[in-house]
Every structure is written in structure tokens, then in C-alpha cells.
Amino acid sequence: VYHRHEVIGIENLPAEGRCLIASNHSLATYDIGLLSNYIYQNTGRLPRALMDKWFFKFEFIKQFMDELGAVEGNQNTARKLLEAGEVLTVAPGGMRESIRNMNERYQILWDQRLGFAKLAAETQSPIILAACPKADDIFDVLPTSKVSLWVYKKFKLPFAPFRGLGPTPIPRPIKLVHFLSEPIIPPKLAEDEKEKSRQIKRFHKKIIKRMQGLIGEAIAYRKEGS
């Protein structure tokens, strides 16, 4: 209600079977939870979110993550969930993407993140992209990138000075709209390892290009006031 959240393209989600949803990552993060809730309420399917291990270091946070169906992100867990026919959500840009400063909003940092594309190809799981660029407007991440990046690299923590409503940390009541892409079917991988690597890289580039286009569509939609 606070963010007047809506989803466009929910019909693109398969009614059954494995699927990997790849989303952009804002500092707020909970926008991905809003998407998962919408999917569950409207389809009955409960997406399993791959979360950074930081969320599982503290027992009270871990319990909350468990109740939401979230799991600690690693390749083995992700593979088992997909092979069991689950819907998996992942933010390929991770914490690094979430601490982008306000001058870098609406961008994705997926160029070096091939893991999710490799996983989708190896498990033959379609990828659905979820773009919600306006989630970057919930908070302004102040441009102290050198400090933030040092903390991230040293401790793997999402340290980033930010402000929300006025000078406070209260989230701005930004209207959030998720755009879901059509299912992107991964290639059937070759036996040859070199060719397999080339296939995954091509698939990864295709995903990034489509995500950038989807973000553009979402931004244009909000500007039109639709």
C-alpha cells in the first residue's frame, strides 16, 4: 500500500516448473520481497530468494529469512531448488549493486556476474527478468563510493550513507512497478568446454541487453504517468 506496488507481465511466469527470476538490486532490497509476495498472492507459487550469507549470520534475521522461504545463496542450493521445479529469485548484482551511489541509479552491475546465466543454462531453467528501477529512488545513496567500496571489499557489508524522506532514513513512498520479461530460454550446452563457455557468455550478454531494455521500458512507463 505504501508503495502502491504493481506488477506488469505476471502472465509471463510459468504456471509450473523451474524458473529463475533475475532482478535489479536496490539499497532498500525489500522491493524484491514485494515482488515475491505479489507472485504468491496471484499465482500461488512461492519464489525462493537467494540471499547473501550476511542475512544468515544472526539468528533472529535467519529465522525471519527462513519464514520467508529465503535460502543462503550458493550454487548447490540453487541447483537443487531448480531441479525440484521451484521458482528462484536472485539479484545478480548483489550487495555491490545495492550500494551504487545516487549518480548511478537505474544501472545494473552484471557484467562480471555470469553465475546465474551458467546455472540457468546447466539446469535448462528459463530466466525471467524483473526490472523495478524506481526502487533506486526509495533512498538516495550518497556519493562516498570509495569508502563504501572499501567496507564492502574488506567486510562484505552493505555500508552506504543514505537518506530517505527528507533527511531521515524513512523510505520515500515511491510508486513501485515491476516489469517482468518474457521467459528467456537458455541454450542447450555443448559437450566441449570451450564452446560451452562461449555459449554461456553469449547468453549472458543477451540477458544484460534485454534487462537494460526492460529498465528503459519501466522508466518510460513512469514518465508517461500510466
Side-chain angles (χ1 to χ4, degrees):
V1 173
Y2 187 73
H3 290 292
R4 293 155 289 150
H5 181 246
E6 64 176 298
V7 175
I8 293 176
I10 189 66
E11 68 278 4
N12 292 330
L13 184 75
E16 59 184 20
R18 68 188 67 172
C19 177
L20 195 156
I21 298 175
S23 174
N24 58 297
H25 201 320
S26 71
L27 182 68
T29 303
Y30 64 73
D31 48 287
I32 300 174
L34 296 180
L35 174 62
S36 294
N37 179 67
Y38 186 97
I39 290 172
Y40 178 68
Q41 294 292 336
N42 288 272
T43 71
R45 303 198 72 180
L46 179 63
R48 307 296 300 278
L50 286 185
M51 304 291 289
D52 192 278
K53 61 183 180 181
W54 181 87
F55 289 96
F56 297 86
K57 288 181 180 291
F58 306 99
E59 188 59 32
F60 71 98
I61 299 179
K62 179 181 181 302
Q63 290 179 3
F64 182 59
M65 293 295 105
D66 289 343
E67 290 175 4
L68 293 177
V71 294
E72 185 174 335
N74 61 65
Q75 286 280 326
N76 289 336
T77 299
R79 187 181 301 276
K80 288 178 181 178
L81 288 171
L82 288 172
E83 289 175 348
E86 299 272 11
V87 176
L88 201 62
T89 59
V90 60
M95 283 190 184
R96 173 64 188 88
E97 187 174 292
S98 74
I99 60 174
R100 288 162 300 137
N101 70 59
M102 56 196 291
N103 299 321
E104 301 173 311
R105 55 170 49 114
Y106 312 151
Q107 298 178 26
I108 56 169
L109 303 180
W110 296 8
D111 287 348
Q112 305 302 317
R113 306 295 179 102
L114 275 75
F116 75 105
K118 182 174 183 286
L119 176 67
E122 289 180 345
T123 60
Q124 285 297 287
S125 303
I127 288 182
I128 290 180
L129 301 174
C132 185
K134 295 300 289 185
D136 281 350
D137 292 334
I138 295 174
F139 298 115
D140 283 340
V141 180
L142 304 180
T144 57
S145 57
K146 289 184 179 180
V147 176
S148 299
L149 288 176
W150 182 84
V151 173
Y152 169 73
K153 290 177 180 179
K154 186 75 174 177
F155 303 105
K156 298 300 180 185
L157 291 175
F159 171 77
F162 69 94
R163 62 175 177 241
L165 199 59
T168 76
I170 298 172
R172 294 190 183 103
I174 301 294
K175 178 173 175 58
L176 298 180
V177 181
H178 271 96
F179 274 63
L180 301 187
S181 76
E182 69 288 348
I184 302 174
I185 308 302
K188 292 184 178 180
L189 297 178
E191 294 290 334
D192 180 74
E193 289 300 322
K194 288 184 178 180
E195 177 57 24
K196 182 187 296 186
S197 177
R198 286 191 288 266
Q199 286 179 300
I200 291 171
K201 288 179 180 177
R202 288 194 295 267
F203 181 50
H204 181 248
K205 287 182 179 179
K206 178 181 179 180
I207 292 168
I208 289 179
K209 183 177 180 180
R210 181 66 182 102
M211 185 60 169
Q212 290 169 336
L214 196 63
I215 287 174
E217 292 172 28
I219 293 172
Y221 172 86
R222 292 300 301 129
K223 284 183 177 179
E224 293 168 3
S226 302

